[in-house]
Amino acid sequence: MRFTVSSLVANAPDPVTGIHRTPQQKLWNVIDQAVLAEQLGYDGYGVGERHGEPFLSPAPPVLLSAIAARTTTIRLFTTVTVLSILDPVRVAEDYAMLDQLSGGRIELIIGKGNDPRHFGLFGLPEERQWAALAENYGLLHRLWREEEVTWQGTTRPPLTEATVSPRPLQDPIPVWHGSATSTSSTDLAARYGDPLFSANSFHPLAKYRALVEHYRERWEHYGRDPKEARVGAGFGGLYVAKRSQDAVEGFRPYWDAMVNSAAGKHNNSPFRSLEDALEQGSALVGSPQQVIEKIHRYHEAFGNEVVGIGVDALTEDAQREQLELFAAEVAPVVRRELP
């Protein structure tokens, strides 16, 4: 099993202390968090893309460049690149440049995005989000694999014998497909033979398991070896403590703030309480052994090879404490039991 940490660079007041970082403080917090993740032996660090408050992540390539300059080995990825609204030529150039600068450490997770505000901001009709994602990925896929690309579509002007430069250092940059709500993304991933990353944040396991199963079904439909299908799984929150009661009470104010946020309301989560969410959902909250057991439960359902966690909402001290405790008491056990 591999372990990754990611941030959407959400910058809301801390629900416990009331402290509200400045934008600069929050951005540097994310960079320092990535450095710490590398020091603790995590396998990857990701930055999401959001356009609007409370998020400070409209340009992941810029922030990932700063992280690349401060790290040497950890994989760098996006959670997600909102490819439905972006120009694939620009995406190809930006991430190829970043791949060169980072020494070939970049991976993309692409998706249509989980914030409806970006459609109006970038002039994309919401009903075209899936079609635009598929069309834009088709072009991006070619630009990283071919030179002198000639292309015509509906999302940008035509191309005639176009070659992006620089070329990626990796051949090509790995691309995962983010999955949270629709079989459109699972089918797209299977069609291209790409791995799938399941979000798992706001709903019970069964909803996301159905999408993962659809991905594997479509993988075989396209004539691919079932053993080669790859899945990653995100987990909606992390709070580990020696005693499970302390973990639950420590996480409660952060859960309350999340479900009452605009994002929480938009995703229409069915969980009635924190206890309900911990029973049915993916949040890794409890003793180290409880967290290990939940990771196993999701692995049994998904067959995933990656566990994605986040500590974005916590204070700096709590972020460090959680990342250190997870790296010391959870990750080694899971790596041994699920190599």
Side-chain angles (χ1 to χ4, degrees), residues 121-161:
L121 189 62
F122 287 88
L124 175 68
E126 190 167 353
E127 62 271 16
R128 290 207 68 242
Q129 57 185 317
W130 295 112
L133 175 64
E135 183 174 302
N136 286 346
Y137 183 55
L139 177 55
L140 177 64
H141 191 270
R142 291 187 62 193
L143 290 170
W144 276 343
R145 289 164 174 80
E146 303 174 28
E147 298 183 0
E148 298 183 352
V149 173
T150 297
W151 174 93
Q152 186 167 351
T154 64
T155 58
R156 57 148 293 125
L159 296 175
T160 302
E161 298 183 354

mmCIF file of all heavy atoms in Angstrom, residues 121-161:
data_model
loop_
_atom_site.group_PDB
_atom_site.id
_atom_site.type_symbol
_atom_site.label_atom_id
_atom_site.label_comp_id
_atom_site.label_asym_id
_atom_site.label_seq_id
_atom_site.Cartn_x
_atom_site.Cartn_y
_atom_site.Cartn_z
ATOM 1 N N LEU A 121 -17.657 30.691 -14.132
ATOM 2 C CA LEU A 121 -16.419 31.461 -14.159
ATOM 3 C C LEU A 121 -15.652 31.250 -15.458
ATOM 4 O O LEU A 121 -15.044 32.176 -15.994
ATOM 5 C CB LEU A 121 -15.551 31.059 -12.958
ATOM 6 C CG LEU A 121 -14.304 31.888 -12.670
ATOM 7 C CD1 LEU A 121 -14.673 33.336 -12.347
ATOM 8 C CD2 LEU A 121 -13.526 31.281 -11.502
ATOM 9 N N PHE A 122 -15.701 30.030 -15.990
ATOM 10 C CA PHE A 122 -14.955 29.717 -17.203
ATOM 11 C C PHE A 122 -15.855 29.535 -18.429
ATOM 12 O O PHE A 122 -15.381 29.114 -19.484
ATOM 13 C CB PHE A 122 -14.102 28.458 -16.983
ATOM 14 C CG PHE A 122 -12.912 28.708 -16.097
ATOM 15 C CD1 PHE A 122 -13.016 28.589 -14.720
ATOM 16 C CD2 PHE A 122 -11.696 29.094 -16.633
ATOM 17 C CE1 PHE A 122 -11.930 28.824 -13.893
ATOM 18 C CE2 PHE A 122 -10.604 29.330 -15.818
ATOM 19 C CZ PHE A 122 -10.721 29.201 -14.441
ATOM 20 N N GLY A 123 -17.134 29.821 -18.284
ATOM 21 C CA GLY A 123 -18.016 29.823 -19.439
ATOM 22 C C GLY A 123 -18.374 28.458 -19.974
ATOM 23 O O GLY A 123 -18.654 28.315 -21.173
ATOM 24 N N LEU A 124 -18.373 27.436 -19.107
ATOM 25 C CA LEU A 124 -18.756 26.097 -19.546
ATOM 26 C C LEU A 124 -20.160 25.783 -19.059
ATOM 27 O O LEU A 124 -20.407 25.773 -17.847
ATOM 28 C CB LEU A 124 -17.785 25.050 -18.990
ATOM 29 C CG LEU A 124 -18.144 23.582 -19.275
ATOM 30 C CD1 LEU A 124 -18.010 23.281 -20.764
ATOM 31 C CD2 LEU A 124 -17.280 22.633 -18.449
ATOM 32 N N PRO A 125 -21.101 25.507 -19.945
ATOM 33 C CA PRO A 125 -22.434 25.088 -19.495
ATOM 34 C C PRO A 125 -22.332 23.800 -18.681
ATOM 35 O O PRO A 125 -21.661 22.850 -19.090
ATOM 36 C CB PRO A 125 -23.195 24.851 -20.809
ATOM 37 C CG PRO A 125 -22.445 25.641 -21.834
ATOM 38 C CD PRO A 125 -21.008 25.609 -21.412
ATOM 39 N N GLU A 126 -22.984 23.780 -17.529
ATOM 40 C CA GLU A 126 -22.838 22.638 -16.630
ATOM 41 C C GLU A 126 -23.257 21.325 -17.287
ATOM 42 O O GLU A 126 -22.673 20.272 -17.008
ATOM 43 C CB GLU A 126 -23.648 22.871 -15.358
ATOM 44 C CG GLU A 126 -23.359 21.854 -14.280
ATOM 45 C CD GLU A 126 -23.912 22.257 -12.917
ATOM 46 O OE1 GLU A 126 -24.409 23.396 -12.786
ATOM 47 O OE2 GLU A 126 -23.840 21.437 -11.990
ATOM 48 N N GLU A 127 -24.231 21.385 -18.187
ATOM 49 C CA GLU A 127 -24.688 20.162 -18.823
ATOM 50 C C GLU A 127 -23.635 19.571 -19.763
ATOM 51 O O GLU A 127 -23.747 18.425 -20.196
ATOM 52 C CB GLU A 127 -25.996 20.403 -19.587
ATOM 53 C CG GLU A 127 -25.894 21.398 -20.725
ATOM 54 C CD GLU A 127 -26.151 22.839 -20.299
ATOM 55 O OE1 GLU A 127 -26.106 23.111 -19.073
ATOM 56 O OE2 GLU A 127 -26.390 23.687 -21.178
ATOM 57 N N ARG A 128 -22.578 20.337 -20.110
ATOM 58 C CA ARG A 128 -21.532 19.843 -20.998
ATOM 59 C C ARG A 128 -20.283 19.375 -20.247
ATOM 60 O O ARG A 128 -19.268 19.066 -20.855
ATOM 61 C CB ARG A 128 -21.116 20.926 -21.996
ATOM 62 C CG ARG A 128 -22.165 21.258 -23.052
ATOM 63 C CD ARG A 128 -21.516 21.785 -24.335
ATOM 64 N NE ARG A 128 -20.756 20.734 -25.003
ATOM 65 C CZ ARG A 128 -19.442 20.768 -25.219
ATOM 66 N NH1 ARG A 128 -18.724 21.795 -24.814
ATOM 67 N NH2 ARG A 128 -18.838 19.772 -25.849
ATOM 68 N N GLN A 129 -20.354 19.314 -18.922
ATOM 69 C CA GLN A 129 -19.144 19.040 -18.147
ATOM 70 C C GLN A 129 -18.510 17.699 -18.499
ATOM 71 O O GLN A 129 -17.286 17.604 -18.643
ATOM 72 C CB GLN A 129 -19.450 19.109 -16.652
ATOM 73 C CG GLN A 129 -20.549 18.169 -16.194
ATOM 74 C CD GLN A 129 -20.885 18.359 -14.729
ATOM 75 O OE1 GLN A 129 -20.004 18.505 -13.900
ATOM 76 N NE2 GLN A 129 -22.165 18.370 -14.396
ATOM 77 N N TRP A 130 -19.315 16.647 -18.661
ATOM 78 C CA TRP A 130 -18.736 15.333 -18.938
ATOM 79 C C TRP A 130 -18.224 15.251 -20.365
ATOM 80 O O TRP A 130 -17.155 14.676 -20.617
ATOM 81 C CB TRP A 130 -19.768 14.244 -18.676
ATOM 82 C CG TRP A 130 -20.172 14.160 -17.237
ATOM 83 C CD1 TRP A 130 -21.400 14.481 -16.702
ATOM 84 C CD2 TRP A 130 -19.346 13.780 -16.131
ATOM 85 N NE1 TRP A 130 -21.380 14.310 -15.342
ATOM 86 C CE2 TRP A 130 -20.145 13.877 -14.967
ATOM 87 C CE3 TRP A 130 -18.027 13.349 -16.018
ATOM 88 C CZ2 TRP A 130 -19.652 13.559 -13.697
ATOM 89 C CZ3 TRP A 130 -17.534 13.050 -14.763
ATOM 90 C CH2 TRP A 130 -18.339 13.148 -13.619
ATOM 91 N N ALA A 131 -18.976 15.821 -21.303
ATOM 92 C CA ALA A 131 -18.525 15.810 -22.699
ATOM 93 C C ALA A 131 -17.231 16.601 -22.850
ATOM 94 O O ALA A 131 -16.315 16.193 -23.573
ATOM 95 C CB ALA A 131 -19.613 16.381 -23.605
ATOM 96 N N ALA A 132 -17.154 17.752 -22.171
ATOM 97 C CA ALA A 132 -15.942 18.567 -22.244
ATOM 98 C C ALA A 132 -14.755 17.851 -21.625
ATOM 99 O O ALA A 132 -13.631 17.908 -22.141
ATOM 100 C CB ALA A 132 -16.178 19.909 -21.549
ATOM 101 N N LEU A 133 -14.984 17.164 -20.501
ATOM 102 C CA LEU A 133 -13.900 16.417 -19.862
ATOM 103 C C LEU A 133 -13.355 15.348 -20.801
ATOM 104 O O LEU A 133 -12.133 15.219 -20.972
ATOM 105 C CB LEU A 133 -14.404 15.780 -18.566
ATOM 106 C CG LEU A 133 -13.409 14.871 -17.843
ATOM 107 C CD1 LEU A 133 -12.194 15.658 -17.367
ATOM 108 C CD2 LEU A 133 -14.085 14.165 -16.671
ATOM 109 N N ALA A 134 -14.234 14.580 -21.421
ATOM 110 C CA ALA A 134 -13.796 13.504 -22.310
ATOM 111 C C ALA A 134 -13.057 14.056 -23.523
ATOM 112 O O ALA A 134 -12.016 13.520 -23.938
ATOM 113 C CB ALA A 134 -15.001 12.672 -22.757
ATOM 114 N N GLU A 135 -13.574 15.140 -24.107
ATOM 115 C CA GLU A 135 -12.933 15.713 -25.286
ATOM 116 C C GLU A 135 -11.573 16.299 -24.943
ATOM 117 O O GLU A 135 -10.589 16.077 -25.658
ATOM 118 C CB GLU A 135 -13.831 16.792 -25.889
ATOM 119 C CG GLU A 135 -13.265 17.394 -27.174
ATOM 120 C CD GLU A 135 -14.236 18.368 -27.827
ATOM 121 O OE1 GLU A 135 -15.370 17.954 -28.140
ATOM 122 O OE2 GLU A 135 -13.837 19.534 -28.015
ATOM 123 N N ASN A 136 -11.500 17.023 -23.836
ATOM 124 C CA ASN A 136 -10.228 17.634 -23.442
ATOM 125 C C ASN A 136 -9.188 16.589 -23.073
ATOM 126 O O ASN A 136 -8.001 16.746 -23.373
ATOM 127 C CB ASN A 136 -10.448 18.594 -22.277
ATOM 128 C CG ASN A 136 -11.114 19.890 -22.712
ATOM 129 O OD1 ASN A 136 -11.191 20.193 -23.904
ATOM 130 N ND2 ASN A 136 -11.604 20.665 -21.756
ATOM 131 N N TYR A 137 -9.632 15.508 -22.431
ATOM 132 C CA TYR A 137 -8.651 14.471 -22.103
ATOM 133 C C TYR A 137 -8.157 13.764 -23.351
ATOM 134 O O TYR A 137 -6.972 13.403 -23.443
ATOM 135 C CB TYR A 137 -9.210 13.451 -21.112
ATOM 136 C CG TYR A 137 -8.161 12.435 -20.747
ATOM 137 C CD1 TYR A 137 -6.922 12.850 -20.241
ATOM 138 C CD2 TYR A 137 -8.351 11.079 -20.951
ATOM 139 C CE1 TYR A 137 -5.925 11.937 -19.932
ATOM 140 C CE2 TYR A 137 -7.370 10.160 -20.641
ATOM 141 C CZ TYR A 137 -6.153 10.590 -20.140
ATOM 142 O OH TYR A 137 -5.157 9.687 -19.848
ATOM 143 N N GLY A 138 -9.039 13.557 -24.306
ATOM 144 C CA GLY A 138 -8.590 12.946 -25.547
ATOM 145 C C GLY A 138 -7.466 13.729 -26.195
ATOM 146 O O GLY A 138 -6.493 13.155 -26.697
ATOM 147 N N LEU A 139 -7.568 15.064 -26.153
ATOM 148 C CA LEU A 139 -6.510 15.898 -26.724
ATOM 149 C C LEU A 139 -5.257 15.868 -25.860
ATOM 150 O O LEU A 139 -4.138 15.728 -26.381
ATOM 151 C CB LEU A 139 -7.020 17.336 -26.894
ATOM 152 C CG LEU A 139 -5.990 18.347 -27.410
ATOM 153 C CD1 LEU A 139 -5.348 17.892 -28.719
ATOM 154 C CD2 LEU A 139 -6.643 19.727 -27.572
ATOM 155 N N LEU A 140 -5.414 16.007 -24.542
ATOM 156 C CA LEU A 140 -4.245 15.965 -23.650
ATOM 157 C C LEU A 140 -3.489 14.645 -23.815
ATOM 158 O O LEU A 140 -2.255 14.625 -23.863
ATOM 159 C CB LEU A 140 -4.693 16.137 -22.199
ATOM 160 C CG LEU A 140 -3.600 16.039 -21.138
ATOM 161 C CD1 LEU A 140 -2.581 17.170 -21.297
ATOM 162 C CD2 LEU A 140 -4.202 16.046 -19.735
ATOM 163 N N HIS A 141 -4.221 13.580 -23.895
ATOM 164 C CA HIS A 141 -3.615 12.249 -24.062
ATOM 165 C C HIS A 141 -2.731 12.208 -25.307
ATOM 166 O O HIS A 141 -1.622 11.649 -25.286
ATOM 167 C CB HIS A 141 -4.746 11.214 -24.154
ATOM 168 C CG HIS A 141 -4.290 9.791 -24.065
ATOM 169 N ND1 HIS A 141 -3.940 9.043 -25.175
ATOM 170 C CD2 HIS A 141 -4.120 8.968 -22.999
ATOM 171 C CE1 HIS A 141 -3.590 7.837 -24.791
ATOM 172 N NE2 HIS A 141 -3.687 7.748 -23.482
ATOM 173 N N ARG A 142 -3.202 12.795 -26.390
ATOM 174 C CA ARG A 142 -2.417 12.811 -27.624
ATOM 175 C C ARG A 142 -1.213 13.751 -27.525
ATOM 176 O O ARG A 142 -0.117 13.428 -28.007
ATOM 177 C CB ARG A 142 -3.301 13.240 -28.793
ATOM 178 C CG ARG A 142 -4.368 12.231 -29.199
ATOM 179 C CD ARG A 142 -5.079 12.679 -30.459
ATOM 180 N NE ARG A 142 -4.149 12.779 -31.580
ATOM 181 C CZ ARG A 142 -4.430 13.372 -32.744
ATOM 182 N NH1 ARG A 142 -5.623 13.930 -32.928
ATOM 183 N NH2 ARG A 142 -3.527 13.410 -33.704
ATOM 184 N N LEU A 143 -1.401 14.911 -26.915
ATOM 185 C CA LEU A 143 -0.324 15.906 -26.866
ATOM 186 C C LEU A 143 0.895 15.399 -26.114
ATOM 187 O O LEU A 143 2.029 15.811 -26.424
ATOM 188 C CB LEU A 143 -0.843 17.196 -26.219
ATOM 189 C CG LEU A 143 -1.839 18.008 -27.045
ATOM 190 C CD1 LEU A 143 -2.450 19.117 -26.199
ATOM 191 C CD2 LEU A 143 -1.169 18.598 -28.286
ATOM 192 N N TRP A 144 0.708 14.520 -25.145
ATOM 193 C CA TRP A 144 1.835 13.974 -24.392
ATOM 194 C C TRP A 144 2.441 12.735 -25.046
ATOM 195 O O TRP A 144 3.466 12.240 -24.598
ATOM 196 C CB TRP A 144 1.412 13.662 -22.967
ATOM 197 C CG TRP A 144 1.477 14.864 -22.065
ATOM 198 C CD1 TRP A 144 2.141 16.034 -22.301
ATOM 199 C CD2 TRP A 144 0.864 14.998 -20.787
ATOM 200 N NE1 TRP A 144 1.985 16.897 -21.244
ATOM 201 C CE2 TRP A 144 1.196 16.288 -20.297
ATOM 202 C CE3 TRP A 144 0.063 14.179 -20.003
ATOM 203 C CZ2 TRP A 144 0.766 16.759 -19.067
ATOM 204 C CZ3 TRP A 144 -0.368 14.644 -18.775
ATOM 205 C CH2 TRP A 144 -0.023 15.913 -18.309
ATOM 206 N N ARG A 145 1.812 12.244 -26.079
ATOM 207 C CA ARG A 145 2.298 11.032 -26.722
ATOM 208 C C ARG A 145 2.695 11.223 -28.181
ATOM 209 O O ARG A 145 3.367 10.374 -28.750
ATOM 210 C CB ARG A 145 1.230 9.930 -26.639
ATOM 211 C CG ARG A 145 1.043 9.386 -25.226
ATOM 212 C CD ARG A 145 -0.249 8.605 -25.098
ATOM 213 N NE ARG A 145 -0.354 7.971 -23.780
ATOM 214 C CZ ARG A 145 -0.735 8.621 -22.679
ATOM 215 N NH1 ARG A 145 -1.055 9.900 -22.740
ATOM 216 N NH2 ARG A 145 -0.785 7.978 -21.525
ATOM 217 N N GLU A 146 2.261 12.317 -28.777
ATOM 218 C CA GLU A 146 2.472 12.524 -30.198
ATOM 219 C C GLU A 146 3.066 13.912 -30.449
ATOM 220 O O GLU A 146 2.916 14.831 -29.638
ATOM 221 C CB GLU A 146 1.142 12.430 -30.965
ATOM 222 C CG GLU A 146 0.387 11.132 -30.786
ATOM 223 C CD GLU A 146 -0.976 11.177 -31.448
ATOM 224 O OE1 GLU A 146 -1.136 11.924 -32.448
ATOM 225 O OE2 GLU A 146 -1.909 10.497 -30.964
ATOM 226 N N GLU A 147 3.699 14.057 -31.586
ATOM 227 C CA GLU A 147 4.129 15.354 -32.095
ATOM 228 C C GLU A 147 3.319 15.674 -33.346
ATOM 229 O O GLU A 147 2.711 14.795 -33.961
ATOM 230 C CB GLU A 147 5.626 15.343 -32.379
ATOM 231 C CG GLU A 147 6.477 15.097 -31.129
ATOM 232 C CD GLU A 147 7.966 15.164 -31.414
ATOM 233 O OE1 GLU A 147 8.332 15.405 -32.587
ATOM 234 O OE2 GLU A 147 8.755 14.951 -30.466
ATOM 235 N N GLU A 148 3.273 16.954 -33.696
ATOM 236 C CA GLU A 148 2.545 17.429 -34.875
ATOM 237 C C GLU A 148 1.086 16.925 -34.859
ATOM 238 O O GLU A 148 0.605 16.266 -35.771
ATOM 239 C CB GLU A 148 3.254 17.002 -36.161
ATOM 240 C CG GLU A 148 4.662 17.596 -36.275
ATOM 241 C CD GLU A 148 5.343 17.239 -37.581
ATOM 242 O OE1 GLU A 148 4.801 16.407 -38.329
ATOM 243 O OE2 GLU A 148 6.413 17.816 -37.858
ATOM 244 N N VAL A 149 0.402 17.259 -33.765
ATOM 245 C CA VAL A 149 -0.980 16.822 -33.554
ATOM 246 C C VAL A 149 -1.927 17.736 -34.333
ATOM 247 O O VAL A 149 -1.904 18.963 -34.175
ATOM 248 C CB VAL A 149 -1.336 16.844 -32.058
ATOM 249 C CG1 VAL A 149 -2.818 16.556 -31.862
ATOM 250 C CG2 VAL A 149 -0.475 15.838 -31.295
ATOM 251 N N THR A 150 -2.753 17.148 -35.146
ATOM 252 C CA THR A 150 -3.836 17.861 -35.821
ATOM 253 C C THR A 150 -5.149 17.408 -35.200
ATOM 254 O O THR A 150 -5.417 16.200 -35.109
ATOM 255 C CB THR A 150 -3.827 17.582 -37.330
ATOM 256 O OG1 THR A 150 -2.596 18.094 -37.879
ATOM 257 C CG2 THR A 150 -5.002 18.261 -38.016
ATOM 258 N N TRP A 151 -5.965 18.382 -34.783
ATOM 259 C CA TRP A 151 -7.145 18.053 -33.964
ATOM 260 C C TRP A 151 -8.223 19.101 -34.181
ATOM 261 O O TRP A 151 -7.926 20.285 -34.402
ATOM 262 C CB TRP A 151 -6.727 18.028 -32.497
ATOM 263 C CG TRP A 151 -7.840 17.842 -31.492
ATOM 264 C CD1 TRP A 151 -8.275 16.674 -30.960
ATOM 265 C CD2 TRP A 151 -8.634 18.877 -30.890
ATOM 266 N NE1 TRP A 151 -9.298 16.903 -30.067
ATOM 267 C CE2 TRP A 151 -9.532 18.252 -30.002
ATOM 268 C CE3 TRP A 151 -8.664 20.262 -31.015
ATOM 269 C CZ2 TRP A 151 -10.460 18.964 -29.247
ATOM 270 C CZ3 TRP A 151 -9.593 20.982 -30.272
ATOM 271 C CH2 TRP A 151 -10.474 20.334 -29.394
ATOM 272 N N GLN A 152 -9.463 18.685 -34.103
ATOM 273 C CA GLN A 152 -10.582 19.617 -34.162
ATOM 274 C C GLN A 152 -11.672 19.138 -33.219
ATOM 275 O O GLN A 152 -12.009 17.949 -33.185
ATOM 276 C CB GLN A 152 -11.140 19.732 -35.589
ATOM 277 C CG GLN A 152 -12.228 20.802 -35.717
ATOM 278 C CD GLN A 152 -12.547 21.122 -37.177
ATOM 279 O OE1 GLN A 152 -11.853 20.666 -38.077
ATOM 280 N NE2 GLN A 152 -13.588 21.912 -37.389
ATOM 281 N N GLY A 153 -12.216 20.055 -32.404
ATOM 282 C CA GLY A 153 -13.263 19.710 -31.454
ATOM 283 C C GLY A 153 -14.136 20.897 -31.144
ATOM 284 O O GLY A 153 -14.182 21.870 -31.909
ATOM 285 N N THR A 154 -14.795 20.858 -29.997
ATOM 286 C CA THR A 154 -15.760 21.900 -29.632
ATOM 287 C C THR A 154 -15.318 22.762 -28.467
ATOM 288 O O THR A 154 -15.952 23.775 -28.185
ATOM 289 C CB THR A 154 -17.107 21.258 -29.267
ATOM 290 O OG1 THR A 154 -16.940 20.435 -28.094
ATOM 291 C CG2 THR A 154 -17.637 20.410 -30.409
ATOM 292 N N THR A 155 -14.243 22.374 -27.771
ATOM 293 C CA THR A 155 -13.881 23.078 -26.540
ATOM 294 C C THR A 155 -12.783 24.126 -26.722
ATOM 295 O O THR A 155 -12.550 24.930 -25.822
ATOM 296 C CB THR A 155 -13.411 22.075 -25.468
ATOM 297 O OG1 THR A 155 -12.292 21.327 -25.978
ATOM 298 C CG2 THR A 155 -14.530 21.114 -25.104
ATOM 299 N N ARG A 156 -12.098 24.119 -27.869
ATOM 300 C CA ARG A 156 -11.041 25.102 -28.134
ATOM 301 C C ARG A 156 -10.827 25.153 -29.647
ATOM 302 O O ARG A 156 -11.310 24.292 -30.390
ATOM 303 C CB ARG A 156 -9.739 24.738 -27.411
ATOM 304 C CG ARG A 156 -9.183 23.364 -27.739
ATOM 305 C CD ARG A 156 -7.650 23.324 -27.692
ATOM 306 N NE ARG A 156 -7.072 24.132 -28.767
ATOM 307 C CZ ARG A 156 -6.187 25.120 -28.569
ATOM 308 N NH1 ARG A 156 -5.747 25.400 -27.369
ATOM 309 N NH2 ARG A 156 -5.717 25.816 -29.590
ATOM 310 N N PRO A 157 -10.077 26.156 -30.126
ATOM 311 C CA PRO A 157 -9.824 26.239 -31.573
ATOM 312 C C PRO A 157 -9.065 25.012 -32.084
ATOM 313 O O PRO A 157 -8.364 24.341 -31.328
ATOM 314 C CB PRO A 157 -8.975 27.515 -31.710
ATOM 315 C CG PRO A 157 -9.316 28.330 -30.509
ATOM 316 C CD PRO A 157 -9.568 27.342 -29.416
ATOM 317 N N PRO A 158 -9.186 24.717 -33.386
ATOM 318 C CA PRO A 158 -8.497 23.554 -33.961
ATOM 319 C C PRO A 158 -6.973 23.689 -33.857
ATOM 320 O O PRO A 158 -6.430 24.785 -33.706
ATOM 321 C CB PRO A 158 -8.950 23.560 -35.424
ATOM 322 C CG PRO A 158 -10.174 24.396 -35.456
ATOM 323 C CD PRO A 158 -10.018 25.421 -34.375
ATOM 324 N N LEU A 159 -6.308 22.547 -33.951
ATOM 325 C CA LEU A 159 -4.848 22.505 -33.968
ATOM 326 C C LEU A 159 -4.388 21.893 -35.287
ATOM 327 O O LEU A 159 -5.007 20.964 -35.811
ATOM 328 C CB LEU A 159 -4.317 21.646 -32.813
ATOM 329 C CG LEU A 159 -4.595 22.128 -31.387
ATOM 330 C CD1 LEU A 159 -4.106 21.087 -30.385
ATOM 331 C CD2 LEU A 159 -3.923 23.469 -31.125
ATOM 332 N N THR A 160 -3.278 22.413 -35.806
ATOM 333 C CA THR A 160 -2.684 21.869 -37.023
ATOM 334 C C THR A 160 -1.209 21.610 -36.771
ATOM 335 O O THR A 160 -0.434 22.539 -36.533
ATOM 336 C CB THR A 160 -2.848 22.840 -38.200
ATOM 337 O OG1 THR A 160 -4.238 23.104 -38.404
ATOM 338 C CG2 THR A 160 -2.256 22.240 -39.465
ATOM 339 N N GLU A 161 -0.840 20.348 -36.740
ATOM 340 C CA GLU A 161 0.555 19.921 -36.558
ATOM 341 C C GLU A 161 1.182 20.609 -35.343
ATOM 342 O O GLU A 161 2.269 21.183 -35.426
ATOM 343 C CB GLU A 161 1.365 20.188 -37.831
ATOM 344 C CG GLU A 161 0.850 19.398 -39.029
ATOM 345 C CD GLU A 161 1.687 19.608 -40.281
ATOM 346 O OE1 GLU A 161 2.601 20.457 -40.257
ATOM 347 O OE2 GLU A 161 1.438 18.908 -41.284
#
